[in-house]
Amino acid sequence: MNEATLSRRLYCAQQNLDEIMHQDSVPLYAADIQDQLKKQFAYLSGGRGGDGCPVITFPDYPAFSEIPEKEFQNVLTYLTSIPSLRDAGIGFILVIDRRQDKWTSVKASILRIAASFPGNLQLVLVLRPTGFFHRALSDIAFKFNKDEFKMKVPIIMLGSVSELQGYIDKTQLTEDLGGTLDYCHSRWLSRRTAIEGFAQKVKQTAQILQSFGTELAETELPNDVQSTSSLLATHKEKKDKMKEDIRLAVEQGDDILGSISKPVTENPEYKLNQDQLDNQTTVERLLAQLHETETAFDEFWIKHEQKLEQCLRLRNFEQNFREVKAALDVVSERLTAFTDVGNSCSHVEHILKDLANFEEKSSKARMLASEGDAFIQSNHYAVDSIIPKCSELHHLCDAFITETERRRNLLNKSLELHGLLEKSMKWCDEGIYLLASQPVDKCQSQDGAESALQEIEKFLDTGADNKIKELNKIYREYAQLLTEDLKEHVQKVFQKQESMEEMFQKRQVSLKKLAAKQTRPVQPVAPRPEAFVKSPYTSPGNEMTELHQSRGGSTMDDEENLAVLRQHVINELIETERAYVEELLCVLEGYAAEMDNPLMAHLISPELQNKKDILFGNMEEIYHFHNRIFLRELENYVEYPELVGRCFLDQMEDFQIYEKYCQNKPRSESLWRQFSDSVFFQECQRKLDHKLSLDSYLLKPVQRITKYQLLLKEMLKYSKNCEGAEDLQEALTSILGILKAVNDSMHQIAITGYDGNLNELGKLLMQGSFNVWTDHKKGHSKVKDLARFKPMQRHLFLHEKAVLFCKKREENGEGYEKAPSYSYKHSLNMAAVGITENVKGDAKKFEIWYNAREEVYIIQAPTPEVKATWVNEIRKVLTSQLQACREASQHRTLEQTQSLPLPTSSCTSPSRNHIRNTKKMEERKADLASLEGYGTTVAPKYPEKGKGEFTPMCCSPPTKCCPHSTSTPVLLALSLGFLRSTFVVWTGPKPP
């Protein structure tokens, strides 16, 4: 239904309403003349004459002559407008009751009514005065003055109500006229007011709906999503208000119908008079008209709402089209410029992942095109605008898919080539390790030479599946992706392969000579056992043999091989360090500095401004350290690679900056995820011509600190007998310590729910996941039984001052979103902790008990080695606390000794006392030294739980300075003099 149809139907409804209320010519309502009607000088009782003529009664009203003419006309006009047009056309019967009046008043009343009555008259019945004089006078006067009462209908003078009932049935007369008709003027007036108010409400509703429909039809459709959505919401709100008004109007009409039919409901024998029946019919017609009006509007609204919703979907489609097309254009441009085929298998795999991300954006475009096709199929009103956009999306998607398929095929070929190259490199490295690991002394014998030859031949047989056979074939097969750099890399791998095969040929010639000729027995020199050397590339089950060097010196070939390997590692270290420094500088200049560039400020989101420190952390500090200090120091060791460990040790303190960077990494990662699609970052990446986005470069420091320990391990393998081997081992240990600290801190910052300050707990020593059983002395027996058999999964954090028990939460998301979180449960103060190493029945369990075994926690480690490490670390903490307590006690004892009063002559001399005290102090120091000598392999005999228990023994009596002042009375009673007797040798497994 369109707006014109709606307007026509609503206009017709208004005309029908006027017809129903007979107000097409006399728009007069009871509410307008309510005060005049209340005077009741004339009323429409609802009675009818024999032929259905409406009866209007003029009751005895003393002030009839004083009624203003305007009021008189209004009342008569209104009363004559109420009956139906058919009944009013027959004519009215007037009953004028003047039984209590004078003839002069009767005459005036009849003359006034005759002159002012607006409707058709059928009969006028006058109840003349009942007084004898006035009755006789009325008869005489009426006969002589008939000409004065000239009316179109006869006037009949009646002497009594019985005569009146001869003209009008008794049932059609009110009680004051001797009839039985039920009539209440106030009730009649209230009902007429309600009916006419309802009629006005229905007419007003039709007018409002017509106006609202016109407004909806004339509303221009917005051009953006927000405005369209807002307009739809506004129109729905107005529509709901209209529907609510209609509902209230229907309720109003139903209430009026109920009041009209109430007498019949209460008394089924009750008969409604004609006026009541007319009122009932009027209200029913009004309700029907209201429902018809509502239906017409609902039909119009459904189409209008559908059009608005189509418009909203269209605006969303257009907006998504612009965004997807822009993104697809950017991705297509990047894909076109994305010519890198990778420099390793891992690099190619990373590029393939980026390619998959590109395809994901193209899938959004295809989904949007499908959405547009659905609009076309559903006969959308803007189909002419949608078709070109869908066609463009399909074209862009097809072109993009074609290009991505081409790129994927190329990258798969690149992955295949790099796989061949890496397989050849791995094979060459295994060959070099094999040559370097063959013991020279054993090869001097015929059996040893033949065994070495068999090893070589067996290894060379593996070359069929691992080495590059024809260089020209590689060039032909992979010609489409061979850049100058990649071609040079292929040549280097092939040259390395040829060099290695040449070394094998020379070794074979030498070994064949040794195996063929044994002119004299060879007395091998007893080798000096050295560390075991194993190739990191060795396949499972094919481990390399030990590399031995004789005391008299090894062959020149072995020394040269190791020197070459060391030089290779130092070269790789320096080359990758230079590349690392360049990458850091590139990020700082291409991204971090651009965030402060006024010319780029308009591309930065307000939420991203002033967040540079969060995004990049202390990367600038890391760059300055590597560029100004570490790289220059490394270059000084290029000719002495075996001494590079000293370079690391000299700068080890500066490597702590990585811990700060890694602690900030989760915040940086979270910020990047929010703004990774920022135009600012895309523009910076475009300027730098980077194939990878910023997040790949923000990960470089984390990757670099991990790379150092791998390079140090490699260098250490080839430098066992060199001068700097100890420094290399120490540097490796220190780097591993930094990595452990970084890892522990990353876990520590994931703790949630701890109210205090974690920094106040001291240094984090260890962390790990365990099964935990609990046992509490004060617990309920059932709870204790349940705790004894059902373990809890807990992640423990061991600090210097407390051990925290946390619950590890599930890992979700990707990247740093996958990092676990730990919900804090409870903690134990290390000042009141004891441990028992051996738990019967399980070598992986130990106990941590609290407050003299009031709380016992049975801890099950993943392996016995992990358990031993934790027990060892806890003992160190407890021993350290014990030592601090002893020193405080000794210091306090010395102060007390110095403050004693001089003894009497009967006591020991001061000099002897001093000597005795000094001797006791020395004994206690010796005891403490012996305790330190035992390290973590000592344990007290108390409490009697069995061997392997340990808790710090405190000074007696306890003091405020003692961290163990809450320990058991038995432990507090132990004095320093019994220290040696309270410890036994540790009987548990030796810690690693």
Side-chain angles (χ1 to χ4, degrees), residues 225-257:
V225 174
Q226 184 176 358
S227 299
T228 306
S229 179
S230 177
L231 180 63
L232 180 59
T234 302
H235 283 187
K236 282 186 176 180
E237 184 178 354
K238 288 185 178 181
K239 185 268 298 184
D240 293 339
K241 178 66 170 56
M242 294 292 100
K243 296 288 287 184
E244 178 65 17
D245 290 343
I246 292 174
R247 186 189 65 80
L248 294 176
V250 171
E251 287 184 359
Q252 181 181 350
D254 290 339
D255 291 341
I256 296 173
L257 275 180

mmCIF file of all heavy atoms in Angstrom, residues 225-257:
data_model
loop_
_atom_site.group_PDB
_atom_site.id
_atom_site.type_symbol
_atom_site.label_atom_id
_atom_site.label_comp_id
_atom_site.label_asym_id
_atom_site.label_seq_id
_atom_site.Cartn_x
_atom_site.Cartn_y
_atom_site.Cartn_z
ATOM 1 N N VAL A 225 24.863 4.655 7.073
ATOM 2 C CA VAL A 225 24.317 3.611 7.943
ATOM 3 C C VAL A 225 23.739 4.206 9.218
ATOM 4 O O VAL A 225 22.624 3.868 9.627
ATOM 5 C CB VAL A 225 25.421 2.590 8.286
ATOM 6 C CG1 VAL A 225 24.919 1.575 9.309
ATOM 7 C CG2 VAL A 225 25.890 1.873 7.038
ATOM 8 N N GLN A 226 24.492 5.096 9.844
ATOM 9 C CA GLN A 226 24.053 5.630 11.134
ATOM 10 C C GLN A 226 22.738 6.387 11.008
ATOM 11 O O GLN A 226 21.821 6.203 11.806
ATOM 12 C CB GLN A 226 25.138 6.530 11.715
ATOM 13 C CG GLN A 226 24.815 7.051 13.111
ATOM 14 C CD GLN A 226 25.955 7.852 13.701
ATOM 15 O OE1 GLN A 226 27.013 7.990 13.089
ATOM 16 N NE2 GLN A 226 25.762 8.376 14.886
ATOM 17 N N SER A 227 22.622 7.253 10.007
ATOM 18 C CA SER A 227 21.403 8.028 9.825
ATOM 19 C C SER A 227 20.220 7.115 9.499
ATOM 20 O O SER A 227 19.110 7.322 10.007
ATOM 21 C CB SER A 227 21.595 9.061 8.711
ATOM 22 O OG SER A 227 22.631 9.957 9.028
ATOM 23 N N THR A 228 20.447 6.124 8.659
ATOM 24 C CA THR A 228 19.373 5.194 8.307
ATOM 25 C C THR A 228 18.922 4.409 9.530
ATOM 26 O O THR A 228 17.719 4.238 9.768
ATOM 27 C CB THR A 228 19.844 4.229 7.208
ATOM 28 O OG1 THR A 228 20.355 4.979 6.097
ATOM 29 C CG2 THR A 228 18.710 3.358 6.732
ATOM 30 N N SER A 229 19.874 3.933 10.295
ATOM 31 C CA SER A 229 19.530 3.190 11.509
ATOM 32 C C SER A 229 18.771 4.068 12.481
ATOM 33 O O SER A 229 17.784 3.635 13.097
ATOM 34 C CB SER A 229 20.808 2.638 12.155
ATOM 35 O OG SER A 229 20.509 1.945 13.338
ATOM 36 N N SER A 230 19.206 5.317 12.625
ATOM 37 C CA SER A 230 18.528 6.254 13.528
ATOM 38 C C SER A 230 17.114 6.551 13.043
ATOM 39 O O SER A 230 16.170 6.600 13.838
ATOM 40 C CB SER A 230 19.349 7.539 13.631
ATOM 41 O OG SER A 230 18.689 8.496 14.434
ATOM 42 N N LEU A 231 16.955 6.745 11.730
ATOM 43 C CA LEU A 231 15.635 7.038 11.176
ATOM 44 C C LEU A 231 14.694 5.851 11.386
ATOM 45 O O LEU A 231 13.526 6.033 11.758
ATOM 46 C CB LEU A 231 15.758 7.348 9.685
ATOM 47 C CG LEU A 231 14.447 7.676 8.953
ATOM 48 C CD1 LEU A 231 13.828 8.947 9.516
ATOM 49 C CD2 LEU A 231 14.688 7.806 7.451
ATOM 50 N N LEU A 232 15.195 4.659 11.152
ATOM 51 C CA LEU A 232 14.367 3.471 11.343
ATOM 52 C C LEU A 232 13.932 3.350 12.802
ATOM 53 O O LEU A 232 12.763 3.046 13.091
ATOM 54 C CB LEU A 232 15.151 2.223 10.921
ATOM 55 C CG LEU A 232 14.420 0.872 11.067
ATOM 56 C CD1 LEU A 232 13.147 0.860 10.251
ATOM 57 C CD2 LEU A 232 15.332 -0.269 10.658
ATOM 58 N N ALA A 233 14.848 3.606 13.710
ATOM 59 C CA ALA A 233 14.504 3.534 15.135
ATOM 60 C C ALA A 233 13.467 4.590 15.499
ATOM 61 O O ALA A 233 12.528 4.321 16.261
ATOM 62 C CB ALA A 233 15.764 3.709 15.981
ATOM 63 N N THR A 234 13.618 5.819 14.952
ATOM 64 C CA THR A 234 12.665 6.896 15.240
ATOM 65 C C THR A 234 11.276 6.551 14.717
ATOM 66 O O THR A 234 10.272 6.729 15.415
ATOM 67 C CB THR A 234 13.160 8.202 14.608
ATOM 68 O OG1 THR A 234 14.456 8.520 15.120
ATOM 69 C CG2 THR A 234 12.211 9.346 14.923
ATOM 70 N N HIS A 235 11.214 6.062 13.496
ATOM 71 C CA HIS A 235 9.924 5.708 12.924
ATOM 72 C C HIS A 235 9.276 4.554 13.681
ATOM 73 O O HIS A 235 8.046 4.548 13.888
ATOM 74 C CB HIS A 235 10.092 5.342 11.448
ATOM 75 C CG HIS A 235 10.262 6.551 10.568
ATOM 76 N ND1 HIS A 235 10.286 6.485 9.201
ATOM 77 C CD2 HIS A 235 10.420 7.862 10.870
ATOM 78 C CE1 HIS A 235 10.452 7.698 8.695
ATOM 79 N NE2 HIS A 235 10.550 8.543 9.698
ATOM 80 N N LYS A 236 10.066 3.588 14.101
ATOM 81 C CA LYS A 236 9.516 2.490 14.883
ATOM 82 C C LYS A 236 8.962 2.985 16.215
ATOM 83 O O LYS A 236 7.904 2.532 16.671
ATOM 84 C CB LYS A 236 10.596 1.430 15.135
ATOM 85 C CG LYS A 236 10.863 0.517 13.951
ATOM 86 C CD LYS A 236 11.838 -0.577 14.336
ATOM 87 C CE LYS A 236 12.038 -1.549 13.177
ATOM 88 N NZ LYS A 236 12.986 -2.629 13.532
ATOM 89 N N GLU A 237 9.677 3.933 16.804
ATOM 90 C CA GLU A 237 9.213 4.487 18.077
ATOM 91 C C GLU A 237 7.877 5.212 17.898
ATOM 92 O O GLU A 237 6.949 5.051 18.699
ATOM 93 C CB GLU A 237 10.270 5.443 18.631
ATOM 94 C CG GLU A 237 9.930 6.008 19.991
ATOM 95 C CD GLU A 237 11.019 6.920 20.535
ATOM 96 O OE1 GLU A 237 12.085 7.016 19.888
ATOM 97 O OE2 GLU A 237 10.802 7.541 21.578
ATOM 98 N N LYS A 238 7.736 6.005 16.827
ATOM 99 C CA LYS A 238 6.477 6.705 16.563
ATOM 100 C C LYS A 238 5.364 5.714 16.245
ATOM 101 O O LYS A 238 4.220 5.875 16.695
ATOM 102 C CB LYS A 238 6.662 7.686 15.402
ATOM 103 C CG LYS A 238 7.499 8.907 15.743
ATOM 104 C CD LYS A 238 7.534 9.872 14.581
ATOM 105 C CE LYS A 238 8.335 11.123 14.929
ATOM 106 N NZ LYS A 238 8.369 12.088 13.805
ATOM 107 N N LYS A 239 5.707 4.688 15.479
ATOM 108 C CA LYS A 239 4.702 3.680 15.143
ATOM 109 C C LYS A 239 4.201 2.978 16.402
ATOM 110 O O LYS A 239 2.992 2.758 16.572
ATOM 111 C CB LYS A 239 5.296 2.671 14.158
ATOM 112 C CG LYS A 239 4.306 1.635 13.634
ATOM 113 C CD LYS A 239 4.252 0.340 14.428
ATOM 114 C CE LYS A 239 5.578 -0.370 14.394
ATOM 115 N NZ LYS A 239 5.518 -1.690 15.076
ATOM 116 N N ASP A 240 5.116 2.633 17.286
ATOM 117 C CA ASP A 240 4.721 1.985 18.536
ATOM 118 C C ASP A 240 3.820 2.895 19.366
ATOM 119 O O ASP A 240 2.868 2.427 20.014
ATOM 120 C CB ASP A 240 5.959 1.594 19.346
ATOM 121 C CG ASP A 240 6.769 0.500 18.667
ATOM 122 O OD1 ASP A 240 6.206 -0.208 17.816
ATOM 123 O OD2 ASP A 240 7.972 0.374 18.979
ATOM 124 N N LYS A 241 4.112 4.216 19.322
ATOM 125 C CA LYS A 241 3.252 5.170 20.046
ATOM 126 C C LYS A 241 1.863 5.202 19.416
ATOM 127 O O LYS A 241 0.837 5.229 20.133
ATOM 128 C CB LYS A 241 3.890 6.565 19.982
ATOM 129 C CG LYS A 241 3.069 7.661 20.660
ATOM 130 C CD LYS A 241 2.997 7.432 22.152
ATOM 131 C CE LYS A 241 2.409 8.628 22.874
ATOM 132 N NZ LYS A 241 1.104 9.025 22.404
ATOM 133 N N MET A 242 1.775 5.176 18.103
ATOM 134 C CA MET A 242 0.485 5.149 17.421
ATOM 135 C C MET A 242 -0.297 3.885 17.805
ATOM 136 O O MET A 242 -1.494 3.935 18.095
ATOM 137 C CB MET A 242 0.691 5.165 15.911
ATOM 138 C CG MET A 242 1.295 6.443 15.334
ATOM 139 S SD MET A 242 0.218 7.877 15.420
ATOM 140 C CE MET A 242 0.908 8.681 16.877
ATOM 141 N N LYS A 243 0.390 2.757 17.792
ATOM 142 C CA LYS A 243 -0.273 1.503 18.122
ATOM 143 C C LYS A 243 -0.766 1.505 19.566
ATOM 144 O O LYS A 243 -1.849 0.967 19.867
ATOM 145 C CB LYS A 243 0.688 0.330 17.904
ATOM 146 C CG LYS A 243 1.116 0.123 16.462
ATOM 147 C CD LYS A 243 -0.014 -0.438 15.628
ATOM 148 C CE LYS A 243 -0.286 -1.885 15.942
ATOM 149 N NZ LYS A 243 -1.318 -2.471 15.063
ATOM 150 N N GLU A 244 -0.022 2.127 20.442
ATOM 151 C CA GLU A 244 -0.453 2.213 21.834
ATOM 152 C C GLU A 244 -1.696 3.084 21.966
ATOM 153 O O GLU A 244 -2.628 2.753 22.705
ATOM 154 C CB GLU A 244 0.695 2.759 22.692
ATOM 155 C CG GLU A 244 0.372 2.943 24.157
ATOM 156 C CD GLU A 244 0.078 1.625 24.862
ATOM 157 O OE1 GLU A 244 0.431 0.552 24.330
ATOM 158 O OE2 GLU A 244 -0.510 1.668 25.959
ATOM 159 N N ASP A 245 -1.729 4.204 21.226
ATOM 160 C CA ASP A 245 -2.912 5.070 21.248
ATOM 161 C C ASP A 245 -4.139 4.321 20.712
ATOM 162 O O ASP A 245 -5.249 4.458 21.254
ATOM 163 C CB ASP A 245 -2.655 6.323 20.414
ATOM 164 C CG ASP A 245 -1.644 7.246 21.069
ATOM 165 O OD1 ASP A 245 -1.399 7.082 22.280
ATOM 166 O OD2 ASP A 245 -1.088 8.120 20.368
ATOM 167 N N ILE A 246 -3.961 3.550 19.660
ATOM 168 C CA ILE A 246 -5.080 2.778 19.103
ATOM 169 C C ILE A 246 -5.561 1.745 20.119
ATOM 170 O O ILE A 246 -6.770 1.535 20.297
ATOM 171 C CB ILE A 246 -4.652 2.106 17.783
ATOM 172 C CG1 ILE A 246 -4.411 3.177 16.705
ATOM 173 C CG2 ILE A 246 -5.697 1.112 17.313
ATOM 174 C CD1 ILE A 246 -3.850 2.629 15.414
ATOM 175 N N ARG A 247 -4.595 1.110 20.778
ATOM 176 C CA ARG A 247 -4.991 0.117 21.788
ATOM 177 C C ARG A 247 -5.806 0.749 22.904
ATOM 178 O O ARG A 247 -6.835 0.195 23.350
ATOM 179 C CB ARG A 247 -3.732 -0.547 22.376
ATOM 180 C CG ARG A 247 -4.019 -1.694 23.330
ATOM 181 C CD ARG A 247 -2.751 -2.161 24.028
ATOM 182 N NE ARG A 247 -2.207 -1.125 24.904
ATOM 183 C CZ ARG A 247 -2.681 -0.880 26.126
ATOM 184 N NH1 ARG A 247 -3.696 -1.579 26.613
ATOM 185 N NH2 ARG A 247 -2.139 0.067 26.866
ATOM 186 N N LEU A 248 -5.397 1.931 23.357
ATOM 187 C CA LEU A 248 -6.145 2.627 24.414
ATOM 188 C C LEU A 248 -7.526 3.034 23.915
ATOM 189 O O LEU A 248 -8.515 2.981 24.677
ATOM 190 C CB LEU A 248 -5.359 3.858 24.873
ATOM 191 C CG LEU A 248 -4.023 3.567 25.579
ATOM 192 C CD1 LEU A 248 -3.294 4.873 25.891
ATOM 193 C CD2 LEU A 248 -4.261 2.781 26.864
ATOM 194 N N ALA A 249 -7.617 3.451 22.649
ATOM 195 C CA ALA A 249 -8.916 3.837 22.095
ATOM 196 C C ALA A 249 -9.853 2.641 22.019
ATOM 197 O O ALA A 249 -11.052 2.746 22.326
ATOM 198 C CB ALA A 249 -8.719 4.450 20.708
ATOM 199 N N VAL A 250 -9.298 1.489 21.623
ATOM 200 C CA VAL A 250 -10.119 0.278 21.571
ATOM 201 C C VAL A 250 -10.621 -0.088 22.967
ATOM 202 O O VAL A 250 -11.790 -0.464 23.160
ATOM 203 C CB VAL A 250 -9.325 -0.878 20.947
ATOM 204 C CG1 VAL A 250 -10.080 -2.205 21.092
ATOM 205 C CG2 VAL A 250 -9.048 -0.604 19.481
ATOM 206 N N GLU A 251 -9.749 0.020 23.948
ATOM 207 C CA GLU A 251 -10.166 -0.245 25.326
ATOM 208 C C GLU A 251 -11.280 0.709 25.750
ATOM 209 O O GLU A 251 -12.242 0.308 26.428
ATOM 210 C CB GLU A 251 -8.966 -0.116 26.267
ATOM 211 C CG GLU A 251 -7.972 -1.244 26.175
ATOM 212 C CD GLU A 251 -6.866 -1.106 27.206
ATOM 213 O OE1 GLU A 251 -6.900 -0.108 27.960
ATOM 214 O OE2 GLU A 251 -5.975 -1.978 27.258
ATOM 215 N N GLN A 252 -11.147 1.992 25.347
ATOM 216 C CA GLN A 252 -12.173 2.976 25.686
ATOM 217 C C GLN A 252 -13.522 2.585 25.059
ATOM 218 O O GLN A 252 -14.570 2.625 25.715
ATOM 219 C CB GLN A 252 -11.740 4.360 25.205
ATOM 220 C CG GLN A 252 -12.721 5.467 25.536
ATOM 221 C CD GLN A 252 -12.229 6.826 25.008
ATOM 222 O OE1 GLN A 252 -11.084 6.951 24.569
ATOM 223 N NE2 GLN A 252 -13.100 7.818 25.045
ATOM 224 N N GLY A 253 -13.520 2.190 23.787
ATOM 225 C CA GLY A 253 -14.756 1.779 23.133
ATOM 226 C C GLY A 253 -15.359 0.540 23.767
ATOM 227 O O GLY A 253 -16.595 0.449 23.955
ATOM 228 N N ASP A 254 -14.487 -0.421 24.119
ATOM 229 C CA ASP A 254 -14.991 -1.640 24.762
ATOM 230 C C ASP A 254 -15.631 -1.326 26.108
ATOM 231 O O ASP A 254 -16.645 -1.944 26.490
ATOM 232 C CB ASP A 254 -13.847 -2.647 24.933
ATOM 233 C CG ASP A 254 -13.371 -3.225 23.613
ATOM 234 O OD1 ASP A 254 -14.152 -3.181 22.634
ATOM 235 O OD2 ASP A 254 -12.214 -3.706 23.550
ATOM 236 N N ASP A 255 -15.047 -0.376 26.832
ATOM 237 C CA ASP A 255 -15.622 0.015 28.124
ATOM 238 C C ASP A 255 -17.012 0.630 27.936
ATOM 239 O O ASP A 255 -17.935 0.366 28.731
ATOM 240 C CB ASP A 255 -14.691 1.004 28.837
ATOM 241 C CG ASP A 255 -13.401 0.351 29.301
ATOM 242 O OD1 ASP A 255 -13.386 -0.897 29.409
ATOM 243 O OD2 ASP A 255 -12.419 1.071 29.560
ATOM 244 N N ILE A 256 -17.180 1.466 26.899
ATOM 245 C CA ILE A 256 -18.485 2.093 26.649
ATOM 246 C C ILE A 256 -19.517 1.030 26.287
ATOM 247 O O ILE A 256 -20.662 1.039 26.780
ATOM 248 C CB ILE A 256 -18.372 3.146 25.543
ATOM 249 C CG1 ILE A 256 -17.460 4.300 25.993
ATOM 250 C CG2 ILE A 256 -19.745 3.688 25.160
ATOM 251 C CD1 ILE A 256 -17.142 5.304 24.913
ATOM 252 N N LEU A 257 -19.119 0.087 25.428
ATOM 253 C CA LEU A 257 -20.037 -1.003 25.079
ATOM 254 C C LEU A 257 -20.440 -1.804 26.308
ATOM 255 O O LEU A 257 -21.610 -2.206 26.467
ATOM 256 C CB LEU A 257 -19.382 -1.931 24.054
ATOM 257 C CG LEU A 257 -19.491 -1.544 22.583
ATOM 258 C CD1 LEU A 257 -18.795 -2.580 21.723
ATOM 259 C CD2 LEU A 257 -20.940 -1.394 22.149
#
